[in-house]
Amino acid sequence: MKEDYLVLLYYCYSRIEDPETFREQHHLRCLELNLKGRIIIAEEGLNGTVSGLRADCEQYMADVKADPRFADIEFKVDEVPDHCFSKLHVRVKPEIVHASLHQIDPRKRTGGYVEPEEFRQILRDQPEDTVILDVRSNYEHNVGKFKNAITLDIENFRDFPEKVKELDHLKGKKVITYCTGGIKCEKASAYLLDQGFEDVHQLHGGIIKYGLEAEGEDFEGKCYVFDNRIVKDLNTVNPTTISKCYVTGQPSDRMVNCANPHCNKHIPMSEEGANKYNGCCSEECSKHPDVRPYDGSGYYQKEMNGYNPYRGVKRKKETAE
């Protein structure tokens, strides 16, 4: 049975001469199609995750691909029962993924692509001269990662360049990087090449495409996603749970935020663990005077504060007013 809604994950490194004007036009089109999500626009390209009704998402994909700058864009498409976002944000930023690697241009140089089925075979064989490198943040790989992957102790992708110094001993090996949808690997693999790594590749389309095309085999745990689902099932061949409840230590891949807003720790926490401290990560946090009421979900929606999706749109079409 097909779900009524889709969620789209995509990026494209392609020159945008006037990001502000493009942002306004793109924002309006998303409003016309009733899409919600997060879209980042920069001179170097476009990066987004949006959700909407099937027909609206299909029209959006057709519209984006019709622009010659994004003709080669690849959408990772997932079926969902409802919107995966509460708002629409379309923003201009210096980079489409914050890496502080402005000097890196993936259009000129990046790691070669490894397709999902080829990657599946590599995971099965695990050649001694091949290293699988996770370039995501701690909270992402703590809840799910590929078998035998090397993970980095980083809070944000912008910390990646500093951590590369710890990987010098891998320069003689074949390195295959991976991330959620592929965008971080475009710059991560390029940076590795710049730092003297010679045999660098990347999983094409990231974890999400691997799940769609290779059944997620040998991905341990769940895949962290940047929408209201927080995590999604990926492996339909040999699924496992690798994360443990922060409170009880028992296996759990239920990601929540501590109910104490001043802590707000983003961690795996089972329902049993959450009930122990009313959604908090510790007894200390549970006694804070500002603790948020725990409703059983562990998800705390930010205040809408009069959110208006048209705010910041300078040129409204008559039909949109």
Side-chain angles (χ1 to χ4, degrees):
M1 177 180 172
K2 287 187 176 181
E3 298 284 5
D4 293 334
Y5 286 78
L6 300 178
V7 59
L8 313 177
L9 177 66
Y10 59 94
Y11 72 89
C12 185
Y13 282 97
S14 183
R15 182 76 175 175
I16 300 176
E17 295 293 340
D18 187 349
E20 288 290 351
T21 297
F22 180 80
R23 189 210 73 82
E24 292 171 25
Q25 296 167 345
H26 202 77
H27 190 167
L28 276 170
R29 187 56 179 147
C30 289
L31 290 173
E32 292 169 351
L33 293 171
N34 301 303
L35 301 182
K36 296 180 181 180
R38 302 185 187 98
I39 300 171
I40 298 173
I41 294 160
E43 288 186 357
E44 66 180 9
L46 175 68
N47 173 25
T49 310
V50 297
S51 64
L53 286 167
R54 182 180 296 272
D56 292 331
C57 286
E58 288 174 349
Q59 184 59 58
Y60 176 75
M61 290 188 283
D63 289 350
V64 173
K65 281 181 167 288
D67 187 323
R69 293 172 294 185
F70 313 122
D72 296 329
I73 197 168
E74 183 174 287
F75 289 92
K76 274 74 76 177
V77 183
D78 210 357
E79 294 185 347
V80 288
D82 204 344
H83 266 297
C84 287
F85 295 92
S86 303
K87 305 178 183 180
L88 170 68
H89 288 300
V90 186
R91 296 186 172 104
V92 172
K93 294 191 175 183
E95 297 175 281
I96 56 175
V97 60
H98 186 16
S100 299
L101 293 173
H102 302 277
Q103 77 278 16
I104 298 292
D105 186 351
R107 295 169 298 177
K108 295 179 179 178
R109 191 187 193 201
T110 191
Y113 290 142
V114 174
E115 297 302 327
E117 282 297 341
E118 180 185 356
F119 190 73
R120 190 207 299 240
Q121 196 59 49
I122 290 171
L123 289 173
R124 286 174 176 173
D125 298 340
Q126 201 69 49
E128 289 186 7
D129 65 342
T130 300
V131 171
I132 310 298
L133 178 63
D134 191 322
V135 302
R136 300 172 303 152
S137 302
N138 290 335
Y139 61 89
E140 297 174 82
H141 60 66
N142 283 343
V143 76
K145 65 181 184 64
F146 282 112
K147 180 182 70 174
N148 297 328
I150 291 176
T151 57
L152 302 175
D153 183 15
I154 57 177
E155 292 297 321
N156 297 284
F157 184 53
R158 61 177 176 269
D159 300 326
F160 176 76
E162 187 65 25
K163 281 292 176 180
V164 169
K165 298 175 183 177
E166 301 175 7
L167 304 176
D168 278 356
H169 62 290
L170 302 177
K171 284 187 175 179
K173 295 181 178 290
K174 178 178 182 178
V175 178
I176 305 175
T177 67
Y178 74 86
C179 59
T180 307
I183 186 171
K184 292 178 180 178
C185 286
E186 298 283 5
K187 286 197 172 183
S189 62
Y191 185 72
L192 289 171
L193 288 167
D194 274 4
Q195 296 304 302
F197 291 78
E198 296 180 356
D199 196 1
V200 181
H201 305 262
Q202 57 181 304
L203 174 59
H204 190 200
I207 299 166
I208 298 299
K209 184 175 181 180
Y210 183 81
L212 293 170
E213 298 186 7
E215 305 174 290
E217 183 175 355
D218 285 333
F219 186 84
E220 301 171 333
K222 289 190 178 180
C223 179
Y224 192 98
V225 291
F226 295 88
D227 58 53
N228 291 351
R229 296 173 296 172
I230 305 178
V231 295
K232 74 180 296 293
D233 291 320
L234 190 90
N235 189 333
T236 60
V237 178
N238 51 353
T240 57
T241 300
I242 65 169
S243 49
K244 295 181 179 180
C245 173
Y246 187 85
V247 175
T248 68
Q250 297 302 307
S252 177
D253 48 27
R254 178 178 177 267
M255 293 294 291
V256 305
N257 286 83
C258 176
N260 176 4
H262 302 282
C263 172
N264 207 42
K265 196 171 288 178
H266 192 47
I267 47 176
M269 192 186 296
S270 65
E271 292 185 8
E272 178 187 356
N275 288 332
K276 184 173 183 178
Y277 298 123
N278 291 319
C280 291
C281 68
S282 65
E283 184 177 4
E284 181 182 2
C285 277
S286 71
K287 294 178 178 178
H288 197 284
D290 295 336
V291 69
R292 296 172 287 202
Y294 176 61
D295 65 0
S297 70
Y299 177 74
Y300 303 95
Q301 178 67 50
K302 291 183 179 179
E303 294 289 336
M304 297 297 273
N305 293 327
Y307 168 71
N308 176 1
Y310 286 97
R311 183 174 295 160
V313 177
K314 299 175 183 177
R315 295 191 290 273
K316 295 181 183 178
K317 293 184 179 181
E318 291 183 3
T319 57
E321 292 187 357

